[in-house]
Amino acid sequence: MVLPQFYVDDVIRTALKEDINYLDTTTDLMIPEEARTTARFMAKAEGVVCGLEIALRVFTLLDNTFSARVLVKDGDTVRPGELLAELEGRTRFLLKGERTALNLLQHLSGVATATRRAVDIVKGTDASIADTRKTLPGLRAMQKYAVTVGGGRNHRFNLSDGAMLKDNHIDAAGGIPAAVSMIREKLGHMVKLEVETRNLEEVEQALKAGADVIMLDNMDCPAMKQAAELCRAAGRANGGHRPLLEASGGITDETLRAVAETGVDIISIGALTHSVKALDISMKIAK
């Protein structure tokens, strides 16, 4: 996944405007305009690096004389004390861009680290880890990029990417058969349909209605295992073709392996983006 430069630059410019406004009262009054220095990005915790080039772009947009020596790349695992990059440029702009650069780098690295941990937990099963649309406004593409860096997969980027009948759609339509029938009449042939289910009865309804993906929402492991058996049986009766099964809702590191072993194909975790802990990374100006 490659992030468009115009999108990255827009996010950075918005963050810089929010932080700098017109004046950095401390830096502009203290640091001579011509002063130059070096700085270092250092890891203070173990994790997966993500967003390093984005962080460096902050300084490039501020200072056209900025340069950096990069020692790691996105996807690398780093440990406390490890040097990520050496920076060189005008002191004023290194100081002004520090917080914006670290906010992005720490957050995206946190997402990648959490994703890698989840991927490692389910290793050896048939389940893959996916994100959700529970992302921070304006940062969705960056967060979803970080999920792929951690080894996960992306769910929908937006509401246009696929049709998904959630509980409120289903209740509004009067049930799964009616909801699927209503949307199938107008759905383009290139668009997949996912149906959210809350119990095994709804799983059977979604199977009969011809859903492409069936989400098992907040089900316990025994119910998910039964749902997987229903899908496999449907596949045997249909020449091997069956819908994908997605588990979602309240899944934690402690329950993740058990969920993966039920036979689901996808495990979507909103916490990868909405509740992630930032990876501790510092920037230190040379004395």
Side-chain angles (χ1 to χ4, degrees):
M1 179 180 176
V2 178
L3 294 172
Q5 195 64 60
F6 69 84
Y7 160 75
V8 172
D9 288 356
D10 282 349
V11 170
I12 292 172
R13 287 190 175 101
T14 298
L16 288 173
K17 288 176 186 176
E18 187 176 63
D19 204 31
I20 297 174
N21 199 350
Y22 304 109
L23 174 73
D24 177 347
T25 306
T26 308
T27 301
D28 288 333
L29 298 182
M30 170 185 166
I31 304 297
E33 187 175 355
E34 67 280 2
R36 302 184 67 83
T37 193
T38 59
R40 289 179 161 190
F41 279 152
M42 300 285 294
K44 297 178 70 178
E46 183 173 343
V48 179
V49 172
C50 182
L52 186 55
E53 293 298 328
I54 294 171
L56 297 177
R57 180 66 176 169
V58 172
F59 302 108
T60 301
L61 290 176
L62 287 170
D63 177 7
N64 59 11
T65 72
F66 171 79
S67 64
R69 185 172 73 94
V70 180
L71 287 86
V72 299
K73 63 182 185 301
D74 284 2
D76 287 349
T77 298
V78 295
R79 290 169 177 76
E82 189 166 345
L83 179 62
L84 310 185
E86 293 180 333
L87 324 178
E88 196 279 329
R90 295 172 183 165
T91 310
R92 279 188 179 185
F93 293 125
L94 288 175
L95 292 169
K96 288 183 181 184
E98 175 184 358
R99 179 42 50 201
T100 295
L102 286 177
N103 282 349
L104 293 169
L105 179 59
Q106 290 176 325
H107 177 69
L108 296 179
S109 296
V111 172
T113 299
T115 305
R116 180 73 58 79
R117 183 167 58 247
V119 169
D120 287 343
I121 289 172
V122 304
K123 192 171 292 182
T125 72
D126 293 329
S128 61
I129 300 297
D131 51 32
T132 71
R133 284 172 38 248
K134 296 176 181 178
T135 55
L136 300 178
L139 293 183
R140 177 169 295 174
M142 283 190 183
Q143 289 185 302
K144 284 181 172 285
Y145 164 71
V147 167
T148 66
V149 168
R153 301 173 67 183
N154 295 142
H155 209 291
R156 292 188 296 176
F157 270 74
N158 54 57
L159 295 174
S160 300
D161 277 351
M164 185 171 177
L165 294 172
K166 296 181 70 66
D167 54 356
N168 285 330
H169 296 103
I170 292 165
D171 292 341
I176 288 175
V180 172
S181 177
M182 290 167 65
I183 196 167
R184 281 291 190 199
E185 291 178 1
K186 300 178 181 179
L187 201 61
H189 67 285
M190 296 292 287
V191 183
K192 287 189 174 183
L193 173 61
E194 179 166 5
V195 177
E196 181 179 291
T197 61
R198 294 162 283 196
N199 51 57
L200 291 173
E201 181 183 353
E202 290 189 343
V203 171
E204 291 179 330
Q205 291 175 7
L207 276 168
K208 291 177 182 177
D212 299 304
V213 185
I214 298 175
M215 176 187 284
L216 311 177
D217 185 43
N218 283 294
M219 290 190 194
D220 59 26
C221 285
M224 284 190 273
K225 189 171 183 179
Q226 290 182 60
E229 291 169 354
L230 287 172
C231 276
R232 284 193 292 270
R236 289 191 294 270
N238 196 27
H241 178 73
R242 67 168 180 84
L244 294 173
L245 274 185
E246 176 187 338
S248 189
I251 298 169
T252 65
D253 286 353
E254 289 70 34
T255 61
L256 185 52
R257 181 72 189 190
V259 172
E261 290 175 345
T262 63
V264 297
D265 304 289
I266 305 156
I267 303 174
S268 56
I269 306 174
L272 295 179
T273 51
H274 72 60
S275 300
V276 72
K277 179 182 178 182
L279 184 64
D280 196 357
I281 297 170
S282 68
M283 178 181 137
K284 293 297 183 184
I285 294 284
K287 292 183 180 180

